[in-house]
Amino acid sequence: MSHYYIKSPEDYAAAYQKSTEDPEGFWAEIAEHFQWMKKWDSVLSWDFDGPDVRWFNDAQLNITENCLDRHLEERSDELALIWEPNEPSEDSIQFTYGQLHEEVCRYANVLKKNGVNKGDRVAIYLPMIPDLAIATLACARIGAVHSIVFAGFSAQALADRINDAQASAVLTSDGMYRGNKKLPVKAIVDEALEHCPSVHTVLVSRRTDEEVPMQAERDRFLADELKTVPSSCPAEPMDSEDMLFILYTSGSTGKPKGVVHSCGGYMVYAAFSFQNVFQYAAGDIYWCSADIGWITGHSYILYGPLLNAATTMMFEGVPTYPDAGRFWEICDKYQVNQFYTAPTAIRALMAQGDKHVEKAQLDSLKVIGSVGEPINEEAWQWYHDKVGKGRCPVVDTWWQTETGGIMISGLGPHSPMKASHAGLPLPGIQTILLDQEGREILENEVEGYLCVKFPWPSMLRTTYGDHERCKNTYFSNYPGHYFTGDGAKRDADGLYRIIGRVDDVINVSGHRFGTAEIENALNQDQRVAESAVVGYPHDIKGQGIYAYVILKDPIDAGSAMENSLVESVVRGIGKIARPDKIQFVPGLPKTRSGKIMRRILRKIAEGEASSLGDTSTLLDPGVVEIIKAGAL
Ligand code: 7RM
């Protein structure tokens, strides 16, 4: 029996057992399904104190050879990628494996021609158009490290990420469409690049066809460049532990970190987890509605599906344009078999009533998935009953940018399913709960800090340019363990239910922000003395952003000030981090040592100011009463 395809609860049990008793044997057998230019000398070496983790050491491969070339002999004419545009009336674009292979090779040659070399970092700032998929794979083809920046981030946020990675090229577009909006993209890149001396090349895809200024030395239209290069490009041999990509993500302190994933382990785990969670079968149409700019899009729009020769869809638009039936129309139009989306989208569509979802057939669906944040029971039930029509297993997939792939989830219909529970860990994933003192809790029906005690192939290897930060953030709280930052419960049957972050990270519509990151943006305004940001429960977004702001001069308080603070955050991070509530306060609750007591601010933001608990350690308990009285 191959552990690569899990097709029953018994398969799962056997695979899980094998993966803990003989992890190296287990992963070696799975890795055999891929094309390696050179096989590994050792399957795994690891030390969580470094951390220093290596999978398939000294092996060589190229992930695009496994995503594309490997399928050409038998599946050259089968669909690899279907692109659905923002406007329902515009034609969809489809690529067979043969066509996608050629597009990627051409783009790869354009990169080479423009001086992008193996190991160089390339920032990709593109909307959800096919060139985003092609550009990403083109980087991987030549061994350049892609760093995709979600096209909703601001110029400043983009510049920070380009500079941290010292990217030499930026791949972008003229503009973009999103719902009823046409938005600039190249203009944002231009603004960012005023502060990015490392960038020598900008390649511009056409989407909106508006005129964009081009800098003669630096900027090229992709279409012109493509005409000048050959259509084949050999896949660069990469060491298994060479960097495949960097993806920036927010943590509780400082600027976003560049999470680094490497080639071999990421490939094996993205493929394995995709296959088993979604139970993809040949001929199925799979659709993940995420943006490729997030890890979900990396692993489960691009790499996971393509590694399994799947047909994967990408959608340019939003769930509510032209109306709240769009997702369901797309599912029917393409006869989607596996659909994967986020709780925030489910809640937003649920709020529009059942008429849209009831108009659709949705009879092609076999598995429906959820990712990004805890899914509340009401949304889970609606998704299960109205979208899955009570027929489809719901896979609630828990994982992180840092984990590279899905860690806890059902495997299609082959797992116990319980509303709002992610369920059991995948084979090879040794999740545990720790108590306050860092001791492993062995019993069930408990709650604790979610950690992982053994390496898995797609775990992060470092945070770019700062290995200490990786160690401090993930491997120091509970030495010998990877700490996720999440709290979780485990029920009597061992099923996990994720509660949410236990650190200063907030999750807004499935997007991660550090409270410190938003505070920094607020503090850019010279009139701000100090600010403190917390999350609060939000019906649609999961969490909303609540900002407490002390002004240098209280006379400035008012709606004009509020607007300009919102602008400050939009400028510093992007519209996705726009604060929902701003309360002007005369002071913040602080301990005698000067630490802001966020627990109190969170309670007030949640509207539970009556249960503040012990405030006796506060420097100035009086300020709490004033904040409570003015709470929004
Ligand atoms: C894939 C992704 C990671 C954080 C993670 C959790 C939360 C993600 C679920 C979830 C409950 C889920 N990567 N999270 N999936 N919480 N149930 N199924 O979202 O790096 O952007 O975010 O998201 O808190 O730590 S991420």
Side-chain angles (χ1 to χ4, degrees), residues 9-10 24 47 155 158 166 187 214 233 270 285 295 302 318 335 349 356 362 365 400 440 487 595 599:
E10 294 72 35
E24 298 195 22
D47 160 26
L158 173 60
Q166 288 291 295
M214 299 288 278
C233 172
I285 307 287
I295 190 68
L302 284 184
V318 296
Q335 292 289 291
L349 297 177
H356 293 290
L362 300 177
L365 290 175
Q400 310 178 293
E440 181 173 351
K595 271 187 83 148
R599 178 177 58 82

Side-chain angles (χ1 to χ4, degrees), residues 247-250 259 294-297 300 340 343 370-375 395-403 405-406 408-409 420-422 450 482 484-487 497-503 505-507 510-512:
L247 184 57
Y248 284 83
T249 194
S250 299
V259 168
W294 307 113
I295 190 68
T296 302
Y300 301 112
Y340 191 26
S370 171
V371 61
E373 50 173 321
I375 179 165
V395 289
D396 177 1
T397 65
W398 174 84
W399 58 297
Q400 310 178 293
T401 305
E402 294 87 343
T403 69
I406 296 169
I408 304 180
S409 169
S420 305
H421 285 65
L450 183 60
Y482 168 79
T484 64
D486 282 318
R497 175 178 196 155
I498 311 302
I499 302 164
R501 303 291 304 195
V502 295
D503 53 8
V505 169
I506 53 184
N507 191 324
H511 304 150
R512 269 168 75 167

Side-chain angles (χ1 to χ4, degrees), residues 304-321:
L306 296 177
L307 286 163
N308 286 287
T311 302
T312 181
M313 282 195 30
M314 60 189 285
F315 173 43
E316 183 183 35
V318 296
T320 49
Y321 179 82

Side-chain angles (χ1 to χ4, degrees), residues 282-300:
D284 284 351
I285 307 287
Y286 162 87
W287 178 26
C288 166
S289 75
D291 192 291
I292 292 175
W294 307 113
I295 190 68
T296 302
H298 284 58
S299 301
Y300 301 112

